[in-house]
Amino acid sequence: MEKYLSMPIKELITQFPELGSILEKFEIGCVPCNVGTCLFKDIMEIHNLSPQDEEDLMTQIARVIYPDRQITMPKIKRKKSPTSEQFQYSPPMKKLVEEHTLIKKILGLLPKIIETLDLDSEEGRNRVQGSIDFIRFFADKYHHAKEENILFKYFDENLDIIQSMYKDHEKARSHVRAISEGLKERNKEKVTEHFIAYKELLSEHIKKENEILYVWMDRNLSTNQVGKLFLSFSEADSKCDADVIKTCRNFVNTLEEKFQ
Amino acid sequence: MSKNGMEGCPGSRMMDMREKSDDNPKTGGVKIASQLMQWPIQLHLISPTAPYYEKADVLLTADCVAYALGNFHNDYLKGKSIAIACPKLDEGQDIYSEKIKSWLEDAQINTLTVMIMQVPCCMGLVQLAKQALSESKRKVPFKTVVVGIQGDILSEEWVE
């Protein structure tokens, strides 16, 4: 049994496909996850399953892995007890969640940007360049930089869930590079393909962060760490050009007005 | 006043909880080390720029909290600098707001946690801290903890 507990969840689902639907019943979305390298034994803590839910889940998984045997799955040792209270983010984490709100707005506008894609006109090219600039400055330099340079350092960066976030960030950057190349080449198909891929990747990524990663991180931060994060985030934000951030916000607002 | 004398302000309403006392040999009478790292602690007496407040996580608690909460020292005081006050009975509370602002701006504290009892009169301490924060140029994460008369934590939340 130990070998399965230490297996990356995606590998386990590949070996036992039925596990995917069992996990989904418990609102654990490992199936659509792009990376899926979190270890099975870490899933309980990351998703804050109650002891009862953990027992139910493990019993169902045991029946799939060992259909001919009666196995009692071991209780997984957790660093923190689960809490049933509705979750409330600490101030620094709330800031990241609020930044996600603006990023989600641009993701929501991408279908319209793709639908009206015109690389022959200056207006059309400016719209694509504006989207690239938003992603590079707001989503990446302003938001992801706080995660990578500050927040993730408070945890073991070798943890699979954090590694999967780094991989998502890198994939996102490669899509943006491809969009920029497509714009220069006036290649509509390339721009469209990578805009769609970026939207899918980031939508899933933000959902994972808001619902799982940030919640788990916040539960494991001490009051002292929350204060230090808050200060570090404020200092990082003060180093960013406020006019550029304002331009990014205005770009989204203008597009929203245009397409609604 | 009612016949049974059991009505009136919840903050001063009499309650007899003697049946609740802990006779468990495993938990009753256990010695717990003090986590207090400073003196004085009463908000009127403290200097907000004392060295133990500099860049500290500060705990501002209502007077009664430490008596109601069995694990106060280990669960809440540990690692923090403290001040205590009674928002109902303390006089000259104008200075309180100035001291909290001095914590924020001069001592540059890291966080502020306000702990109160569930009784309505305690809320004044949270309001005092909120007002000081809103008037201060410097913001810090601010948390409130409400303790029940039975020693349970009724709520613990970050305040915007």
Side-chain angles (χ1 to χ4, degrees), chain A residues 38-77:
Chain A
C38 297
L39 301 182
F40 177 31
K41 64 183 173 183
D42 294 331
I43 299 290
M44 309 299 146
E45 174 146 15
I46 290 166
H47 287 269
N48 191 38
L49 286 189
S50 69
Q52 186 57 55
D53 278 350
E54 179 184 330
E55 197 182 321
D56 290 345
L57 173 65
M58 295 296 258
T59 304
Q60 292 184 46
I61 287 174
R63 278 194 211 126
V64 170
I65 296 176
Y66 299 105
D68 303 324
R69 287 150 67 180
Q70 192 102 349
I71 300 276
T72 310
M73 296 289 270
K75 221 169 166 33
I76 292 170
K77 202 174 167 188

mmCIF file of all heavy atoms in Angstrom, chain A residues 38-77:
data_model
loop_
_atom_site.group_PDB
_atom_site.id
_atom_site.type_symbol
_atom_site.label_atom_id
_atom_site.label_comp_id
_atom_site.label_asym_id
_atom_site.label_seq_id
_atom_site.Cartn_x
_atom_site.Cartn_y
_atom_site.Cartn_z
ATOM 1 N N CYS A 38 1.316 15.793 -7.665
ATOM 2 C CA CYS A 38 1.139 15.727 -6.212
ATOM 3 C C CYS A 38 1.046 14.277 -5.786
ATOM 4 O O CYS A 38 0.387 13.469 -6.434
ATOM 5 C CB CYS A 38 -0.155 16.433 -5.794
ATOM 6 S SG CYS A 38 -0.161 18.182 -6.177
ATOM 7 N N LEU A 39 1.705 13.971 -4.684
ATOM 8 C CA LEU A 39 1.656 12.599 -4.195
ATOM 9 C C LEU A 39 0.292 12.298 -3.602
ATOM 10 O O LEU A 39 -0.331 13.169 -2.984
ATOM 11 C CB LEU A 39 2.743 12.358 -3.151
ATOM 12 C CG LEU A 39 4.183 12.584 -3.629
ATOM 13 C CD1 LEU A 39 5.157 12.269 -2.505
ATOM 14 C CD2 LEU A 39 4.497 11.747 -4.857
ATOM 15 N N PHE A 40 -0.150 11.073 -3.763
ATOM 16 C CA PHE A 40 -1.467 10.662 -3.285
ATOM 17 C C PHE A 40 -1.617 10.976 -1.796
ATOM 18 O O PHE A 40 -2.634 11.506 -1.358
ATOM 19 C CB PHE A 40 -1.619 9.169 -3.573
ATOM 20 C CG PHE A 40 -2.900 8.547 -3.069
ATOM 21 C CD1 PHE A 40 -4.076 9.271 -2.994
ATOM 22 C CD2 PHE A 40 -2.919 7.214 -2.670
ATOM 23 C CE1 PHE A 40 -5.251 8.691 -2.535
ATOM 24 C CE2 PHE A 40 -4.088 6.626 -2.220
ATOM 25 C CZ PHE A 40 -5.251 7.357 -2.145
ATOM 26 N N LYS A 41 -0.578 10.711 -1.009
ATOM 27 C CA LYS A 41 -0.698 10.916 0.432
ATOM 28 C C LYS A 41 -0.822 12.386 0.804
ATOM 29 O O LYS A 41 -1.282 12.713 1.892
ATOM 30 C CB LYS A 41 0.492 10.295 1.168
ATOM 31 C CG LYS A 41 1.831 10.922 0.847
ATOM 32 C CD LYS A 41 2.932 10.190 1.554
ATOM 33 C CE LYS A 41 4.283 10.736 1.085
ATOM 34 N NZ LYS A 41 5.403 10.039 1.671
ATOM 35 N N ASP A 42 -0.441 13.316 -0.068
ATOM 36 C CA ASP A 42 -0.522 14.747 0.245
ATOM 37 C C ASP A 42 -1.879 15.334 -0.121
ATOM 38 O O ASP A 42 -2.217 16.446 0.292
ATOM 39 C CB ASP A 42 0.569 15.528 -0.500
ATOM 40 C CG ASP A 42 1.957 15.159 -0.010
ATOM 41 O OD1 ASP A 42 2.081 14.788 1.174
ATOM 42 O OD2 ASP A 42 2.908 15.239 -0.806
ATOM 43 N N ILE A 43 -2.672 14.592 -0.893
ATOM 44 C CA ILE A 43 -3.946 15.113 -1.402
ATOM 45 C C ILE A 43 -4.894 15.467 -0.253
ATOM 46 O O ILE A 43 -5.590 16.482 -0.294
ATOM 47 C CB ILE A 43 -4.615 14.078 -2.343
ATOM 48 C CG1 ILE A 43 -3.740 13.785 -3.554
ATOM 49 C CG2 ILE A 43 -6.004 14.525 -2.762
ATOM 50 C CD1 ILE A 43 -3.635 14.913 -4.538
ATOM 51 N N MET A 44 -4.930 14.622 0.793
ATOM 52 C CA MET A 44 -5.880 14.844 1.893
ATOM 53 C C MET A 44 -5.671 16.195 2.540
ATOM 54 O O MET A 44 -6.604 16.947 2.795
ATOM 55 C CB MET A 44 -5.758 13.769 2.997
ATOM 56 C CG MET A 44 -5.808 12.358 2.526
ATOM 57 S SD MET A 44 -7.348 11.993 1.709
ATOM 58 C CE MET A 44 -6.753 10.839 0.495
ATOM 59 N N GLU A 45 -4.402 16.503 2.827
ATOM 60 C CA GLU A 45 -4.094 17.753 3.527
ATOM 61 C C GLU A 45 -4.318 18.947 2.610
ATOM 62 O O GLU A 45 -4.907 19.951 3.005
ATOM 63 C CB GLU A 45 -2.644 17.742 4.008
ATOM 64 C CG GLU A 45 -2.244 19.088 4.608
ATOM 65 C CD GLU A 45 -1.277 18.986 5.745
ATOM 66 O OE1 GLU A 45 -0.677 17.914 5.914
ATOM 67 O OE2 GLU A 45 -1.130 19.977 6.450
ATOM 68 N N ILE A 46 -3.864 18.825 1.374
ATOM 69 C CA ILE A 46 -3.988 19.946 0.444
ATOM 70 C C ILE A 46 -5.456 20.315 0.250
ATOM 71 O O ILE A 46 -5.819 21.482 0.169
ATOM 72 C CB ILE A 46 -3.308 19.602 -0.905
ATOM 73 C CG1 ILE A 46 -1.781 19.564 -0.716
ATOM 74 C CG2 ILE A 46 -3.670 20.604 -1.981
ATOM 75 C CD1 ILE A 46 -1.035 18.930 -1.860
ATOM 76 N N HIS A 47 -6.326 19.303 0.184
ATOM 77 C CA HIS A 47 -7.736 19.563 -0.064
ATOM 78 C C HIS A 47 -8.557 19.664 1.217
ATOM 79 O O HIS A 47 -9.775 19.789 1.173
ATOM 80 C CB HIS A 47 -8.326 18.462 -0.967
ATOM 81 C CG HIS A 47 -7.867 18.575 -2.381
ATOM 82 N ND1 HIS A 47 -8.547 19.285 -3.340
ATOM 83 C CD2 HIS A 47 -6.761 18.103 -2.989
ATOM 84 C CE1 HIS A 47 -7.871 19.224 -4.486
ATOM 85 N NE2 HIS A 47 -6.795 18.515 -4.301
ATOM 86 N N ASN A 48 -7.897 19.628 2.368
ATOM 87 C CA ASN A 48 -8.582 19.835 3.649
ATOM 88 C C ASN A 48 -9.779 18.899 3.832
ATOM 89 O O ASN A 48 -10.850 19.307 4.253
ATOM 90 C CB ASN A 48 -9.042 21.305 3.784
ATOM 91 C CG ASN A 48 -9.506 21.639 5.185
ATOM 92 O OD1 ASN A 48 -8.936 21.175 6.163
ATOM 93 N ND2 ASN A 48 -10.543 22.432 5.302
ATOM 94 N N LEU A 49 -9.582 17.609 3.492
ATOM 95 C CA LEU A 49 -10.681 16.669 3.676
ATOM 96 C C LEU A 49 -10.914 16.426 5.162
ATOM 97 O O LEU A 49 -9.959 16.296 5.935
ATOM 98 C CB LEU A 49 -10.348 15.324 3.015
ATOM 99 C CG LEU A 49 -10.414 15.257 1.489
ATOM 100 C CD1 LEU A 49 -10.285 13.808 1.032
ATOM 101 C CD2 LEU A 49 -11.711 15.844 0.963
ATOM 102 N N SER A 50 -12.180 16.327 5.543
ATOM 103 C CA SER A 50 -12.508 15.997 6.932
ATOM 104 C C SER A 50 -12.110 14.538 7.185
ATOM 105 O O SER A 50 -11.977 13.750 6.237
ATOM 106 C CB SER A 50 -14.008 16.167 7.157
ATOM 107 O OG SER A 50 -14.703 15.171 6.435
ATOM 108 N N PRO A 51 -11.918 14.157 8.460
ATOM 109 C CA PRO A 51 -11.555 12.758 8.759
ATOM 110 C C PRO A 51 -12.560 11.755 8.175
ATOM 111 O O PRO A 51 -12.179 10.695 7.682
ATOM 112 C CB PRO A 51 -11.556 12.716 10.294
ATOM 113 C CG PRO A 51 -11.263 14.117 10.704
ATOM 114 C CD PRO A 51 -11.914 14.989 9.679
ATOM 115 N N GLN A 52 -13.854 12.117 8.215
ATOM 116 C CA GLN A 52 -14.877 11.214 7.682
ATOM 117 C C GLN A 52 -14.733 11.070 6.168
ATOM 118 O O GLN A 52 -14.760 9.949 5.643
ATOM 119 C CB GLN A 52 -16.277 11.753 8.029
ATOM 120 C CG GLN A 52 -17.410 10.804 7.628
ATOM 121 C CD GLN A 52 -17.278 9.435 8.243
ATOM 122 O OE1 GLN A 52 -17.183 9.285 9.448
ATOM 123 N NE2 GLN A 52 -17.235 8.416 7.400
ATOM 124 N N ASP A 53 -14.557 12.197 5.491
ATOM 125 C CA ASP A 53 -14.388 12.165 4.032
ATOM 126 C C ASP A 53 -13.124 11.408 3.645
ATOM 127 O O ASP A 53 -13.097 10.666 2.660
ATOM 128 C CB ASP A 53 -14.333 13.593 3.451
ATOM 129 C CG ASP A 53 -15.715 14.184 3.262
ATOM 130 O OD1 ASP A 53 -16.699 13.439 3.391
ATOM 131 O OD2 ASP A 53 -15.810 15.399 3.001
ATOM 132 N N GLU A 54 -12.075 11.594 4.455
ATOM 133 C CA GLU A 54 -10.823 10.886 4.175
ATOM 134 C C GLU A 54 -11.051 9.380 4.264
ATOM 135 O O GLU A 54 -10.617 8.622 3.391
ATOM 136 C CB GLU A 54 -9.736 11.317 5.169
ATOM 137 C CG GLU A 54 -8.410 10.595 4.964
ATOM 138 C CD GLU A 54 -7.362 10.954 6.003
ATOM 139 O OE1 GLU A 54 -7.385 12.095 6.513
ATOM 140 O OE2 GLU A 54 -6.520 10.090 6.311
ATOM 141 N N GLU A 55 -11.783 8.970 5.310
ATOM 142 C CA GLU A 55 -12.035 7.534 5.501
ATOM 143 C C GLU A 55 -12.866 6.983 4.340
ATOM 144 O O GLU A 55 -12.557 5.927 3.785
ATOM 145 C CB GLU A 55 -12.777 7.330 6.819
ATOM 146 C CG GLU A 55 -12.730 5.885 7.304
ATOM 147 C CD GLU A 55 -13.525 5.701 8.598
ATOM 148 O OE1 GLU A 55 -13.474 6.601 9.463
ATOM 149 O OE2 GLU A 55 -14.211 4.671 8.702
ATOM 150 N N ASP A 56 -13.924 7.759 3.961
ATOM 151 C CA ASP A 56 -14.790 7.302 2.857
ATOM 152 C C ASP A 56 -14.001 7.180 1.564
ATOM 153 O O ASP A 56 -14.126 6.194 0.825
ATOM 154 C CB ASP A 56 -15.949 8.306 2.630
ATOM 155 C CG ASP A 56 -16.938 8.271 3.768
ATOM 156 O OD1 ASP A 56 -16.890 7.301 4.562
ATOM 157 O OD2 ASP A 56 -17.747 9.220 3.872
ATOM 158 N N LEU A 57 -13.187 8.201 1.294
ATOM 159 C CA LEU A 57 -12.407 8.217 0.051
ATOM 160 C C LEU A 57 -11.427 7.047 0.023
ATOM 161 O O LEU A 57 -11.340 6.321 -0.975
ATOM 162 C CB LEU A 57 -11.651 9.548 -0.070
ATOM 163 C CG LEU A 57 -10.663 9.662 -1.227
ATOM 164 C CD1 LEU A 57 -11.394 9.603 -2.564
ATOM 165 C CD2 LEU A 57 -9.883 10.984 -1.150
ATOM 166 N N MET A 58 -10.736 6.864 1.110
ATOM 167 C CA MET A 58 -9.720 5.801 1.163
ATOM 168 C C MET A 58 -10.359 4.424 1.031
ATOM 169 O O MET A 58 -9.799 3.526 0.394
ATOM 170 C CB MET A 58 -8.912 5.893 2.463
ATOM 171 C CG MET A 58 -8.090 7.162 2.574
ATOM 172 S SD MET A 58 -6.826 7.262 1.297
ATOM 173 C CE MET A 58 -5.394 6.786 2.217
ATOM 174 N N THR A 59 -11.548 4.250 1.608
ATOM 175 C CA THR A 59 -12.246 2.954 1.516
ATOM 176 C C THR A 59 -12.597 2.669 0.057
ATOM 177 O O THR A 59 -12.387 1.545 -0.440
ATOM 178 C CB THR A 59 -13.526 2.970 2.372
ATOM 179 O OG1 THR A 59 -13.177 3.322 3.705
ATOM 180 C CG2 THR A 59 -14.222 1.624 2.344
ATOM 181 N N GLN A 60 -13.113 3.680 -0.629
ATOM 182 C CA GLN A 60 -13.491 3.487 -2.031
ATOM 183 C C GLN A 60 -12.271 3.219 -2.900
ATOM 184 O O GLN A 60 -12.313 2.402 -3.826
ATOM 185 C CB GLN A 60 -14.242 4.729 -2.537
ATOM 186 C CG GLN A 60 -15.611 4.893 -1.883
ATOM 187 C CD GLN A 60 -16.386 6.071 -2.457
ATOM 188 O OE1 GLN A 60 -16.447 6.243 -3.665
ATOM 189 N NE2 GLN A 60 -16.982 6.862 -1.587
ATOM 190 N N ILE A 61 -11.168 3.920 -2.607
ATOM 191 C CA ILE A 61 -9.943 3.724 -3.386
ATOM 192 C C ILE A 61 -9.381 2.324 -3.134
ATOM 193 O O ILE A 61 -8.946 1.632 -4.064
ATOM 194 C CB ILE A 61 -8.911 4.814 -3.050
ATOM 195 C CG1 ILE A 61 -9.355 6.141 -3.671
ATOM 196 C CG2 ILE A 61 -7.511 4.436 -3.531
ATOM 197 C CD1 ILE A 61 -8.520 7.338 -3.323
ATOM 198 N N ALA A 62 -9.442 1.867 -1.895
ATOM 199 C CA ALA A 62 -8.939 0.526 -1.554
ATOM 200 C C ALA A 62 -9.692 -0.546 -2.343
ATOM 201 O O ALA A 62 -9.113 -1.527 -2.824
ATOM 202 C CB ALA A 62 -9.079 0.285 -0.060
ATOM 203 N N ARG A 63 -11.002 -0.354 -2.494
ATOM 204 C CA ARG A 63 -11.828 -1.353 -3.224
ATOM 205 C C ARG A 63 -11.408 -1.434 -4.686
ATOM 206 O O ARG A 63 -11.478 -2.491 -5.302
ATOM 207 C CB ARG A 63 -13.296 -0.965 -3.152
ATOM 208 C CG ARG A 63 -13.962 -1.394 -1.873
ATOM 209 C CD ARG A 63 -15.478 -1.303 -1.940
ATOM 210 N NE ARG A 63 -15.981 -0.999 -0.614
ATOM 211 C CZ ARG A 63 -16.778 0.018 -0.309
ATOM 212 N NH1 ARG A 63 -17.184 0.851 -1.249
ATOM 213 N NH2 ARG A 63 -17.173 0.212 0.932
ATOM 214 N N VAL A 64 -10.952 -0.278 -5.249
ATOM 215 C CA VAL A 64 -10.539 -0.256 -6.650
ATOM 216 C C VAL A 64 -9.154 -0.901 -6.803
ATOM 217 O O VAL A 64 -8.940 -1.725 -7.691
ATOM 218 C CB VAL A 64 -10.506 1.192 -7.192
ATOM 219 C CG1 VAL A 64 -9.851 1.266 -8.546
ATOM 220 C CG2 VAL A 64 -11.913 1.759 -7.250
ATOM 221 N N ILE A 65 -8.244 -0.542 -5.903
ATOM 222 C CA ILE A 65 -6.867 -1.052 -6.025
ATOM 223 C C ILE A 65 -6.803 -2.532 -5.656
ATOM 224 O O ILE A 65 -6.058 -3.311 -6.260
ATOM 225 C CB ILE A 65 -5.908 -0.215 -5.149
ATOM 226 C CG1 ILE A 65 -5.863 1.236 -5.658
ATOM 227 C CG2 ILE A 65 -4.501 -0.810 -5.140
ATOM 228 C CD1 ILE A 65 -5.035 2.180 -4.819
ATOM 229 N N TYR A 66 -7.562 -2.920 -4.655
ATOM 230 C CA TYR A 66 -7.574 -4.326 -4.196
ATOM 231 C C TYR A 66 -9.002 -4.861 -4.232
ATOM 232 O O TYR A 66 -9.628 -5.042 -3.188
ATOM 233 C CB TYR A 66 -7.032 -4.408 -2.762
ATOM 234 C CG TYR A 66 -5.614 -3.923 -2.603
ATOM 235 C CD1 TYR A 66 -5.354 -2.680 -2.009
ATOM 236 C CD2 TYR A 66 -4.536 -4.679 -3.043
ATOM 237 C CE1 TYR A 66 -4.061 -2.223 -1.858
ATOM 238 C CE2 TYR A 66 -3.236 -4.226 -2.892
ATOM 239 C CZ TYR A 66 -3.008 -2.993 -2.307
ATOM 240 O OH TYR A 66 -1.717 -2.538 -2.154
ATOM 241 N N PRO A 67 -9.533 -5.150 -5.428
ATOM 242 C CA PRO A 67 -10.943 -5.536 -5.521
ATOM 243 C C PRO A 67 -11.246 -6.884 -4.853
ATOM 244 O O PRO A 67 -12.373 -7.132 -4.449
ATOM 245 C CB PRO A 67 -11.189 -5.622 -7.034
ATOM 246 C CG PRO A 67 -9.845 -5.749 -7.655
ATOM 247 C CD PRO A 67 -8.871 -5.117 -6.741
ATOM 248 N N ASP A 68 -10.208 -7.735 -4.706
ATOM 249 C CA ASP A 68 -10.484 -9.069 -4.153
ATOM 250 C C ASP A 68 -10.130 -9.167 -2.676
ATOM 251 O O ASP A 68 -10.244 -10.242 -2.094
ATOM 252 C CB ASP A 68 -9.659 -10.127 -4.918
ATOM 253 C CG ASP A 68 -9.979 -10.076 -6.400
ATOM 254 O OD1 ASP A 68 -11.158 -9.831 -6.742
ATOM 255 O OD2 ASP A 68 -9.052 -10.261 -7.210
ATOM 256 N N ARG A 69 -9.667 -8.058 -2.102
ATOM 257 C CA ARG A 69 -9.240 -8.128 -0.700
ATOM 258 C C ARG A 69 -9.915 -7.049 0.126
ATOM 259 O O ARG A 69 -10.322 -6.009 -0.393
ATOM 260 C CB ARG A 69 -7.723 -7.945 -0.602
ATOM 261 C CG ARG A 69 -6.935 -9.165 -1.085
ATOM 262 C CD ARG A 69 -5.603 -8.770 -1.667
ATOM 263 N NE ARG A 69 -4.712 -8.231 -0.655
ATOM 264 C CZ ARG A 69 -3.480 -7.819 -0.919
ATOM 265 N NH1 ARG A 69 -3.008 -7.868 -2.132
ATOM 266 N NH2 ARG A 69 -2.716 -7.337 0.030
ATOM 267 N N GLN A 70 -9.999 -7.307 1.417
ATOM 268 C CA GLN A 70 -10.517 -6.313 2.372
ATOM 269 C C GLN A 70 -9.315 -5.602 2.980
ATOM 270 O O GLN A 70 -8.652 -6.111 3.840
ATOM 271 C CB GLN A 70 -11.298 -7.040 3.479
ATOM 272 C CG GLN A 70 -12.109 -6.119 4.337
ATOM 273 C CD GLN A 70 -13.593 -6.160 3.954
ATOM 274 O OE1 GLN A 70 -13.967 -6.716 2.937
ATOM 275 N NE2 GLN A 70 -14.425 -5.580 4.787
ATOM 276 N N ILE A 71 -9.031 -4.406 2.481
ATOM 277 C CA ILE A 71 -7.838 -3.687 2.965
ATOM 278 C C ILE A 71 -8.283 -2.482 3.785
ATOM 279 O O ILE A 71 -9.197 -1.760 3.380
ATOM 280 C CB ILE A 71 -6.995 -3.171 1.765
ATOM 281 C CG1 ILE A 71 -6.539 -4.338 0.904
ATOM 282 C CG2 ILE A 71 -5.859 -2.295 2.205
ATOM 283 C CD1 ILE A 71 -5.279 -5.017 1.391
ATOM 284 N N THR A 72 -7.631 -2.275 4.903
ATOM 285 C CA THR A 72 -7.869 -1.036 5.668
ATOM 286 C C THR A 72 -6.767 -0.061 5.289
ATOM 287 O O THR A 72 -5.580 -0.331 5.506
ATOM 288 C CB THR A 72 -7.800 -1.302 7.190
ATOM 289 O OG1 THR A 72 -8.637 -2.408 7.481
ATOM 290 C CG2 THR A 72 -8.254 -0.078 7.958
ATOM 291 N N MET A 73 -7.168 1.032 4.663
ATOM 292 C CA MET A 73 -6.169 2.006 4.246
ATOM 293 C C MET A 73 -5.627 2.737 5.489
ATOM 294 O O MET A 73 -6.391 3.059 6.400
ATOM 295 C CB MET A 73 -6.788 3.044 3.299
ATOM 296 C CG MET A 73 -7.269 2.438 1.996
ATOM 297 S SD MET A 73 -5.932 1.946 0.931
ATOM 298 C CE MET A 73 -5.681 3.429 -0.017
ATOM 299 N N PRO A 74 -4.344 2.990 5.526
ATOM 300 C CA PRO A 74 -3.766 3.654 6.706
ATOM 301 C C PRO A 74 -4.248 5.106 6.816
ATOM 302 O O PRO A 74 -4.529 5.734 5.809
ATOM 303 C CB PRO A 74 -2.259 3.610 6.429
ATOM 304 C CG PRO A 74 -2.144 3.461 4.951
ATOM 305 C CD PRO A 74 -3.351 2.729 4.486
ATOM 306 N N LYS A 75 -4.313 5.571 8.056
ATOM 307 C CA LYS A 75 -4.673 6.964 8.278
ATOM 308 C C LYS A 75 -3.459 7.829 7.934
ATOM 309 O O LYS A 75 -2.346 7.556 8.368
ATOM 310 C CB LYS A 75 -5.047 7.164 9.753
ATOM 311 C CG LYS A 75 -6.269 8.072 9.898
ATOM 312 C CD LYS A 75 -6.838 8.094 11.239
ATOM 313 C CE LYS A 75 -7.804 9.242 11.436
ATOM 314 N NZ LYS A 75 -8.578 9.652 10.257
ATOM 315 N N ILE A 76 -3.699 8.857 7.147
ATOM 316 C CA ILE A 76 -2.556 9.656 6.712
ATOM 317 C C ILE A 76 -2.250 10.730 7.752
ATOM 318 O O ILE A 76 -3.134 11.470 8.171
ATOM 319 C CB ILE A 76 -2.856 10.285 5.333
ATOM 320 C CG1 ILE A 76 -2.912 9.148 4.307
ATOM 321 C CG2 ILE A 76 -1.797 11.293 4.935
ATOM 322 C CD1 ILE A 76 -3.427 9.538 2.981
ATOM 323 N N LYS A 77 -0.973 10.782 8.141
ATOM 324 C CA LYS A 77 -0.556 11.757 9.161
ATOM 325 C C LYS A 77 -0.546 13.142 8.536
ATOM 326 O O LYS A 77 0.042 13.354 7.474
ATOM 327 C CB LYS A 77 0.856 11.407 9.638
ATOM 328 C CG LYS A 77 1.209 11.953 10.987
ATOM 329 C CD LYS A 77 2.554 11.440 11.460
ATOM 330 C CE LYS A 77 2.998 12.263 12.659
ATOM 331 N NZ LYS A 77 4.353 11.962 13.062
#
